[in-house]
Each structure stands twice: as structure tokens, then as C-alpha cells.
Amino acid sequence: MLVIHTIAELHVHLRGVTGIVLVPTMGNLHQGHLDLVRIARQYGQFVVVSIFVNPLQFGMNEDYSKYPRTLEQDCKMLEQCGADVVFAPSERDLYPQPQQVTVELPPIANELCGAFRPGHFRGAATVVLKLFNIVQPRIAVFGKKDYQQLYLMRQMTAQLNLPVEIIGSETVRASDGLALSSRNQYLNVAERTEAVFLYQNLVGIRLAIMDGATDFFKLERQAMEVLSARGWRVDYVAIRSQSNLAEPTACECNLVILAAAWLGKTRLIDNLEVLRDR
Ligand code: PAF
């Protein structure tokens, strides 16, 4: 496995390589990322994993400077799971000048997480588009854990006619159900025990919908109240259509429940797809 730090060096090594599968990450890898690499392997012969903590997608008061950077450990894990190239560019290489050209996303980018993290998805989409142009993958793999991001990457790719197929990979969970995330390590012991309740809440909503509940507003409000009562600071709990992340129509069957909430200083997100009977 090669670890490459510059775009120029990457171009030398990728010359003539076809059918590249890209797994874009910000590093500090866990089993969820390794699962993306495993899926990537199923889709192609040559897997490139990018590791770049992208300043463009962090807000002013977010955790950019303290975001864990663990390149050496990440590379060991990637070597074991069979990545071919790790591309870990410096900020100067990726943003040699202030990035004034950015990707304009559909309005849904300003809802859900976008309402609480203004500009986040613009920053994520812009770096992903740059990575697509640099790496020229045929396929890129993203986790469903970041459901809104996955949706927006699909929209960007389709609407800009990018020659990249986007694959969504299932969320990997700890044995108690907590979705794996680099941010879980910020949780103290008590918070880690409580954290699973976000997922359990989504499971409860899914059961209610499958039992025939149709008052989504009430389900969302109840879930937010329950979380708040347990000490969470809730950004949102929302039941949306899988197809466009809009509020679902009465006959919509493919739904997704999305939530973001803070435990202490840590913001956790999760989601659960629901297929409801007509
Ligand atoms: O999901 C992430 O880790 C990031 O948003 C991504 C896609 C690597 C872009 O920086």
C-alpha cells in the first residue's frame, strides 16, 4: 500500500490505472470506515482511500482544530484491509489559494444538519468534487450514517454529470446499537452509556410507524421531548422521504428518520430507514 501526500505524486502513481474506487474520509478510522473499504473492494480492483480533515466543512465554533488526526494508525488499519493507495494531502496542496469556487447544492442542504451547520455540506461537496477530479474514480463509497451527505453527493454527481457511481454503505453499529463515529471518542463513560438512546429512540419511532402511526409531527416532537428530558440538546428529529429528504406525502412508503443531538459537548447524528406498508 502506498501512502501519497501530494497531487503530483498521486497522478504519477495512478497513471494508466482504471476502475478506481474512492473512499473519501477524514481519517481517525474505525470499523465503519473499514467496512467502506471492504465494500469498495467488492466494486473494484484498485481502492484509493483519501484522508483529509477538510477545513471548508467546519464552522467557526466547530471541532476542526481538535478533530483527531491519526494518520499512522489509520494507515496500519488500511494496509490490513487491503487498500491500494492512501491519499493524505496537505491543506496547502488541496487549497493552494482560498477556495472561492464552491459547489452550490439544492436547498435541502440548508435543512436538517445544514440548518445547524451552515455551509457544512457546501464544504463537504466542494472537497469531494476536488477529490473526484484529482483521483478520477469510477465509483465512490459513502456511509449511510451521513445520510444527508450521501443524498447530496448523489445529487451533485447526477446534476453535474460526474462520471462517478455513488455507493451507499450501511451504518456500522457498536454491539449496543450506537452508530460508529470518530466523535464517539469525545464521550465520557456516562455519556457513552446514554449515547445509545439516540438509536433506541429512532427504533421506537420506526416501530410506531410500522404499527400505523401517521402523525409524524407528533412522533418527532415526542422524541425530542424524551431526549431533552434525559439531558440531550436536540438539534432535530425528522421523518423524511428517502427519495428527496423532503417531508413525506401521505402515500410515501420509503421513509427515513434522521436525528442530531448533543450529549455534553459532542454532537451525534443517526438515522434509520423505514419501509412502511401502504
Ligand atoms: O464524511 C466525511 O468524512 C467527510 O464529509 C468527507 C466525505 C470525507 C468529505 O470531507
Side-chain angles (χ1 to χ4, degrees):
M1 185 186 79
L2 280 170
V3 182
I4 294 178
H5 294 283
T6 67
I7 297 171
E9 208 191 332
L10 186 77
H11 282 158
V12 171
H13 285 286
L14 294 188
R15 194 169 295 142
V17 180
T18 54
I20 295 171
V21 187
L22 173 67
V23 181
T25 80
M26 297 205 301
N28 194 237
L29 305 182
H30 50 65
Q31 210 49 49
H33 295 108
L34 300 188
D35 207 52
L36 300 181
V37 178
R38 186 182 58 78
I39 303 282
R41 282 242 75 94
Q42 290 170 5
Y43 279 89
Q45 290 296 313
F46 199 93
V47 176
V48 176
V49 179
S50 64
I51 296 184
F52 180 68
V53 185
N54 174 34
L56 223 58
Q57 69 188 74
F58 286 79
M60 289 281 275
N61 300 317
E62 292 186 348
D63 54 348
Y64 173 67
S65 55
K66 75 163 185 170
Y67 199 87
R69 286 144 172 97
T70 51
L71 184 61
E72 206 176 312
Q73 177 191 312
D74 293 345
C75 288
K76 278 189 195 138
M77 292 164 87
L78 289 171
E79 177 116 59
Q80 276 166 19
C81 69
D84 296 289
V85 166
V86 174
F87 176 50
S90 66
E91 193 178 326
R92 195 182 304 171
D93 207 33
L94 218 50
Y95 297 121
Q97 52 183 320
Q99 187 71 29
Q100 291 169 339
V101 178
T102 57
V103 177
E104 174 85 11
L105 291 166
I108 192 71
N110 302 320
E111 293 185 32
L112 304 166
C113 279
F116 296 88
R117 304 187 67 191
H120 166 69
F121 290 116
R122 187 192 317 119
T126 301
V127 81
V128 166
L129 181 57
K130 284 167 77 86
L131 290 167
F132 283 0
N133 286 330
I134 294 164
V135 177
Q136 308 250 313
R138 188 172 60 79
I139 292 173
V141 186
F142 294 86
K144 279 194 183 178
K145 154 106 186 333
D146 297 296
Y147 206 88
Q148 191 177 5
Q149 170 173 275
L150 171 62
Y151 172 78
L152 290 167
M153 295 308 153
R154 285 194 202 284
Q155 286 298 308
M156 173 177 80
T157 307
Q159 294 196 24
L160 294 179
N161 303 89
L162 304 178
V164 183
E165 185 187 345
I166 305 291
I167 304 293
S169 165
E170 293 304 323
T171 301
V172 179
R173 298 182 180 279
S175 55
D176 64 352
L178 177 68
L180 297 192
S181 162
S182 301
R183 291 190 168 100
N184 291 351
Q185 64 192 277
Y186 299 156
L187 301 168
N188 64 32
V189 176
E191 288 168 346
R192 173 61 188 85
T193 307
E194 173 64 22
V196 68
F197 197 73
L198 188 65
Y199 171 65
Q200 286 173 359
N201 219 315
L202 301 186
V203 172
I205 298 176
R206 179 163 70 180
L207 280 176
I209 294 174
M210 287 167 74
D211 276 353
T214 51
D215 188 343
F216 294 159
F217 180 70
K218 188 172 162 195
L219 290 175
E220 291 166 358
R221 210 189 44 224
Q222 279 171 349
M224 290 194 273
E225 280 169 9
V226 170
L227 285 165
S228 302
R230 296 177 69 103
W232 294 71
R233 185 157 56 83
V234 185
D235 281 354
Y236 66 87
V237 176
I239 300 165
R240 295 292 175 104
S241 151
Q242 278 180 33
S243 63
N244 56 9
L245 295 188
E247 288 175 21
T249 57
C251 59
E252 184 84 48
C253 290
N254 297 330
L255 306 175
V256 55
I257 315 155
L258 306 111
W262 293 79
L263 256 188
K265 292 194 167 121
T266 308
R267 185 176 189 271
L268 299 178
I269 61 170
D270 204 349
N271 65 77
L272 212 51
E273 292 179 325
V274 193
L275 186 59
R276 108 176 131 151
D277 290 336
R278 248 180 227 279

